[in-house]
C-alpha cells in the first residue's frame, strides 16, 4: 500500500482513501474480495471501489472481483454517508493486506497433509501423450490411485423462454423465492460439509450464499425482469455474463470463481425451471466431466472412487474438496477424455497425473490387490485403534491428534486419540475482518475440551499467525522474509491485548480437559519467559492453577538450547515442518526443494535428539507434532531417539498406533543410532527401507 492511512474528506461528507496498492502475490481475488464486501455491508454508507475512471459498488462481490486486481494494481475507496469515515478505516487494511496468504486457504484449513505429501500440482495443462493413445494426462488436484469404470457427468443446457409467463411483479417474486430456496439448500450443504470435513471448507458454500446476496448480480436480473423478460431468462443472462467475464480473466484464481458462479447460477435456474437432475452413479466409478461444481463434489456418492475434469485448476474449490475427501482427482485433463465411453475400465493414477483406459488386466489386478490389502490393513488397524500404542517390549507411546477445530476433535476421539498434541488455533483468526471475541473463542475451545475429555491432554497452540499469514486487523510492515519475520509468538508479544484475550478464552476451557498451552516459533529463552509469565498472570487472575506451559521446538536455536527450555517448560513439542525448513534453509512450501526439506535428514534428527536429550530427567515430556510423526519410516527413529508422544493427522491415528506396535524400543534405539550417524536423508531412507521394511509400508500407507 502506498499510503492507505491518508484518508481524506471533502466538504460534501465524502470520505476517500489514498491510493492503495495490492501487495498480495495472488492479487485481490475471491476470498479477500468476499471479506471486503462483507465488511462493507456492515456500513450504511454508499461505498465505491475505484480503479482509474471506473467505480463499482464495494458491497457487490461480482463487481469487486470484476476488477480482477493483480499484485501492483492501485485502487481507492470512496464512501458517503453517516459512517463513511469508519467504513474507509475498516476497509483499507483488507485491500492493503496479503489476505490470501493469511486466509485459511484450502491447503491451510484442509485437514493438513501432515507430511506435506500432496504432490505439487503443475500449472500447465498437459496434453495427451501422443505415443500412448490409452493414456490421458491431467494436473494432480488430489493424490491417490483408483481403478474403476468411467462414468460421465454431462450437464445439458437448461432451456429458458425469454417471454414471461406472468407479470413482472410475479416474475420478480418467483425469482426472489428461487433465490431464497437456493440459499437454504446451500445452507444445508454448508452444514453437511462442516460435519464431513470442517468449517473452513464449509465456508465455500457460505461464499456461495453471499453471491446470491450480491446486489449487482440480483439487481441485473431484476432489472431485466422489469423490462418484461422472464425470471429464468433474466437470471440466466445475468449470471452467465458475469461467469464469462471471470473465466476470461488471466488470473487463475479469478477464473476458478467462474465455476462457483455457474454452480450457484444453475442451482437457482433449476429451481426456477423445475429442472431435476439425478446422477445415476454406478459401483466403483471414476467420474469424467467437463467440469464439476463444488456442490457436486461436496455431495459425491460413496460409489465414486475418483474424478477427472477438463476444467478447473489445482486451486479450484473442487480440488480443495477432493483433497479433504481423500479422493484421487485430476483437473485440466485432455479434452479427448470426454470421448471415453461410459463403463470403460480405467486406472486413475492421480499421483502421476494420468488416467489410463483399458489397462492391462495384470496392472488392474496389481492396483486392486494393493487397494484391497490397504483397506484390509486399515480395517485391522481400526479394530485396535481404541487400544494404547505399546511397543513389543512394553513401552507406551502417546498417539495424539493434530486438529484444527471441533469436527476434527470428534473424529480424533472416535479414533482413540490419546489426546490432542496440537490444536492449530489460528484458524479462528484468519480470513476475517475483525478479531474474534473472547466468548467466540472460548465457546470453541470448551467444545473441543469437552470432546477430548478431562483425562487426556489438550495442547492448544497459541495463534501462529503473522509473517506469511497476516491478518487485516493487525498492522504489520511488509517483510522481505516473512518466514523469518514477526510471526508466531513474536507477533503475540507485540499484540498483547489480542494475546491475552486468546489466553483467557483458552483458560476458560481448563476445567474440562488436561489443558496445555504451547507457544509457536520460539527462538529465545526471553520470549518463552515473557510469554509464560503472561500466562501465569492471566491464569492467576482467573483463579486457574492447573495449566501446563510448553513450547514448540521449530527453530534450530530452541532445539540446540532445549536443555535450558526444559528446565522451565512442562513439555516440548517438535514442530518438524518448520524445524526442517529452518535447519535445511529450504522453504517447506516449495515443491522443488522437497528432497532437501526432508525431516529424515540426519541434521534435523540431530536437532530432535538435542531436544530429547535436553529434556531427559527434567520432568518435561517431548512430543513430535510435525509431519514426520506420521511417517512410517521416521517412527522407529523417533521412538529410538526417545520421544514420548507422536501427534499426527486425525486419519493417521490407527496406522500410527499399529506401526508402534510392530516395533521394539530396543531395536529402535539401535536403528536411530545408526541413522544419526549417516550423512544424508537418502541414506537414512535406504537404510530404513532395508532394515524396517518401511519402504513398502511407506508407499502403501501415505
Ligand atoms: C510444524 O512446524 O511442524 C508444525 C506442526 O506447525 P505448522 O505445520 O502448523 O507450522
Ligand atoms: Mg510450525
Amino acid at each position: 500500500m502506498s499510503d492507505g492511512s491518508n484518508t481524506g474528506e471533502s466538504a460534501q461528507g465524502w470520505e476517500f482513501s489514498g491510493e492503495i496498492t495490492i501487495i498480495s502475490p495472488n492479487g485481490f481475488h475471491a476470498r479477500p474480495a468476499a471479506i471486503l464486501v462483507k465488511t462493507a455491508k456492515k456500513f450504511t454508507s454508499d461505498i465505491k471501489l475505484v480503479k482509474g475512471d471506473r467505480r463499482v459498488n464495494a458491497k457487490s462481490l461480482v463487481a469487486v472481483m470484476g476488477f480482477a486486481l493483480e499484485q501492483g494494481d492501485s485502487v481507492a475507496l470512496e464512501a458517503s454517508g453517516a459512517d463513511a469515515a469508519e467504513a474507509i478505516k475498516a476497509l483499507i487494511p483488507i485491500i492493503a493486506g496479503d489476505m490470501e496468504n493469511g486466509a485459511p486457504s484450502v491447503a491451510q484449513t484442509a485437514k493438513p497433509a501432515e507430511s506435506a505429501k500432496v504432490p505439487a500440482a503443475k500449472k500447465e495443462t498437459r496434453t495427451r501423450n501422443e505415443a500412448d493413445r490409452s493414456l490421458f494426462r491431467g494436473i494432480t488436484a488430489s493424490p491417490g490411485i483408483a481403478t474403476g469404470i468411467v462414468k460421465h457427468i454431462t450437464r445439458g443446457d437448461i432451456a429458458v423462454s425469454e417471454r414471461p409467463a406472468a407479470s413482472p411483479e410475479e416474475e420478480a417474486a418467483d425469482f426472489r423465492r428461487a433465490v431464497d430456496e437456493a440459499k437454504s439448500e446451500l445452507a444445508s450443504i454448508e452444514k453437511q460439509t462442516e460435519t464431513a470435513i470442517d468449517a473452513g471448507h464449509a465456508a465455500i458454500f457460505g461464499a456461495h450464499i453471499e453471491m446470491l446476496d450480491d446486489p449487482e448480480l440480483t439487481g441485473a436480473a431484476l432489472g431485466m425482469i422489469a423490462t418484461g423478460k422472464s425470471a429464468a431468462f433474466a437470471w440466466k443472462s445475468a449470471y452467465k455474463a458475469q461467469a464469462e467475464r471471470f473465466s476470461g480473466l488471466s488470473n487463475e484464481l479469478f477464473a476458478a470463481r467462474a465455476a462457483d458462479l455457474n454452480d450457484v447460477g444453475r442451482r437457482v435456474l433449476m429451481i426456477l425451471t423445475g429442472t431435476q437432475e439425478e446422477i445415476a452413479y454406478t459401483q466403483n466409478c471414476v467420474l469424467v466431466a467437463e467440469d464439476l461444481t463444488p456442490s457436486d463434489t461436496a455431495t459425491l456418492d460413496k460409489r465414486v472412487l475418483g474424478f477427472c475434469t477438463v476444467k478447473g485448476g489445482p486451486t479450484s474449490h473442487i480440488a480443495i474438496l477432493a483433497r479433504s475427501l481423500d479422493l484421487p482427482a485430476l483437473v485440466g485433463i485432455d479434452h479427448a477424455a470426454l470421448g471415453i465411453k461410459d463403463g470403460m475400465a480405467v486406472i486413475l493414477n492421480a499421483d502421476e497425473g494420468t488416467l489410463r483406459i483399458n489397462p492391462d488386466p495384470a496392472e488392474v489386478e496389481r492396483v486392486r490387490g494393493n487397494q484391497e490389502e490397504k483397506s484390509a490393513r486399515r480395517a485391522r488397524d481400526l479394530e485396535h485403534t481404541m487400544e494404547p500404542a505399546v511397543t513389543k517390549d512394553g513401552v507406551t507411546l502417546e498417539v495424539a491428534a493434530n486438529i484444527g477445530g471441533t469436527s476434527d476433535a470428534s473424529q480424533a476421539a472416535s479414533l482413540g486419540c490419546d489426546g490432542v498434541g496440537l490444536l492449530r488455533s489460528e484458524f479462528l483468526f484468519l480470513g476475517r475482518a475483525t478479531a474474534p471475541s473472547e466468548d467466540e473463542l472460548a465457546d470453541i475451545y470448551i467444545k473441543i475440551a469437552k470432546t477430548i475429555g478431562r483425562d487426556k491432554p489438550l495442547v492448544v497452540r497459541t495463534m501462529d499467525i503473522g509473517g506469511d499469514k497476516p491478518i487485516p486487523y493487525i498492522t504489520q510492515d511488509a517483510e522481505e522474509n516473512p518466514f523469518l519475520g514477526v510471526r508466531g509468538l513474536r507477533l503475540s508479544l507485540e499484540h498483547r491485548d489480542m494475546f491475552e484475550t486468546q489466553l483467557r478464552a483458552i483458560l476458560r476451557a481448563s476445567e474440562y480437559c488436561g489443558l496445555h498451552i504451547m507457544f509457536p516459533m520460539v527462538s529465545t529463552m526471553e520470549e518463552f519467559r515473557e510469554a509464560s509469565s503472561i500466562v501465569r498472570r492471566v491464569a492467576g487472575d482467573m483463579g486457574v492453577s492447573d495449566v501446563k506451559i510448553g513450547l514448540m521446538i521449530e527453530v534450530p536455536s530452541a532445539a540446540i538450547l532445549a536443555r535450558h527450555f526444559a528446565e522451565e517448560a512442562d513439555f516440548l513439542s517438535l514442530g518438524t515442518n518448520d524445524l526442517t525448513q529452518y535447519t535445511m534453509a529450504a522453504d517447506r512450501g516449495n515443491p522443488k526443494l522437497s528432497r532437501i526439506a526432508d525431516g529424515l535428514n540426519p541434521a534435523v534428527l540431530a536437532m530432535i535428539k538435542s531436544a530429547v536429550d535436553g529434556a531427559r530427567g527434567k520432568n518435561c515430556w517431548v512430543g513430535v507434532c510435525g509431519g514426520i510423526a506420521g511417517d512410517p519410516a521416521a517412527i522407529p527413529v523417533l521412538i529410538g531417539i526417545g520421544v514420548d508422544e507422536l501427534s499426527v493427522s486425525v486419519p493417521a491415528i490407527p496406522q500410527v498406533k499399529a506401526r508402534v506396535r510392530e516395533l521394539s524400543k530396543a531395536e529402535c534405539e539401535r536403528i536411530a543410532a545408526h541413522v544419526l550417524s549417516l550423512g544424508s536423508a537418502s541414506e537414512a531412507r535406504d537404510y530404513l527401507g532395508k532394515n524396517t521394511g518401511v519402504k513398502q509400508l511407506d508407499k502403501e500407507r501415505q
Side-chain angles (χ1 to χ4, degrees), residues 313-538:
T315 52
S316 62
H317 283 146
I318 59 167
I320 296 159
L321 288 167
R323 285 199 286 272
S324 306
L325 294 166
D326 209 10
L327 269 187
L330 298 180
V331 289
I333 196 162
D334 179 6
H335 199 268
L338 296 178
I340 302 173
K341 286 208 178 68
D342 252 358
M344 194 173 249
V346 285
I347 294 181
L348 168 62
N349 186 339
D351 293 344
E352 289 177 2
T354 60
L355 177 74
R356 178 172 292 284
I357 54 171
N358 281 332
D360 177 357
E363 173 71 354
V364 174
E365 252 342 279
R366 200 184 60 73
V367 173
R368 281 228 173 99
N370 276 351
Q371 279 177 328
E372 274 163 22
E373 213 178 288
K374 201 168 150 184
S375 29
R377 190 166 48 234
R378 263 200 199 138
R380 272 200 311 276
D381 294 350
L382 215 49
E383 269 178 36
H384 300 284
T385 199
M386 303 309 284
E387 298 159 23
V390 184
T391 62
K392 288 199 283 195
D393 49 355
V395 177
T396 302
L397 264 279
E398 302 277 317
V399 178
N402 290 353
I403 65 169
T406 46
S407 64
D408 280 350
S410 339
Q411 215 199 330
S414 71
L415 287 176
C417 71
D418 298 320
V420 166
L422 169 65
L423 166 59
R424 287 183 165 96
S425 73
E426 53 277 3
F427 79 104
L428 284 171
F429 290 84
L430 301 168
R432 50 186 298 154
T434 51
S437 68
E438 183 186 317
D439 284 350
E440 206 178 323
L441 295 171
D443 189 40
I444 305 276
Y445 301 146
I446 290 171
K447 270 196 191 117
I448 293 173
K450 285 182 174 167
T451 308
I452 299 303
R454 263 179 236 278
D455 54 336
K456 290 185 182 150
L458 167 61
V459 179
V460 185
R461 168 171 82 183
T462 58
M463 53 194 171
D464 186 11
I465 48 184
D468 66 316
K469 298 186 233 168
I471 45 177
Y473 41 92
I474 278 187
T475 325
Q476 258 195 291
D477 294 334
E479 295 178 315
E480 275 202 20
N481 295 302
F483 270 115
L484 304 179
V486 182
R487 58 168 292 207
L489 184 62
R490 300 170 187 180
L491 182 121
S492 294
L493 291 176
E494 278 197 5
H495 294 272
R496 297 298 175 95
D497 286 355
M498 210 167 82
F499 186 42
E500 290 193 19
T501 300
Q502 186 188 27
L503 290 175
R504 276 195 302 278
I506 297 173
L507 287 160
R508 279 165 62 179
S510 68
E511 59 178 295
Y512 306 101
C513 63
L515 186 63
H516 290 59
I517 295 183
M518 173 164 82
F519 310 125
M521 271 293 290
V522 177
S523 30
T524 67
M525 283 295 291
E526 288 80 4
E527 288 168 317
F528 177 68
R529 285 190 182 129
E530 199 176 339
S532 305
S533 75
I534 296 175
V535 173
R536 279 192 287 267
R537 175 174 49 74
V538 175

Side-chain angles (χ1 to χ4, degrees), residues 56-97:
V56 297
N57 185 351
K59 296 180 184 176
S60 161
L61 186 62
V62 291
V64 170
M65 284 179 59
F67 268 156
L69 296 172
E70 306 272 7
Q71 185 180 30
D73 283 348
S74 290
V75 287
L77 286 161
E78 283 179 4
S80 73
D83 51 9
E86 292 90 324
I88 296 276
K89 208 162 152 219
L91 298 174
I92 286 173
I94 300 175
I95 302 176

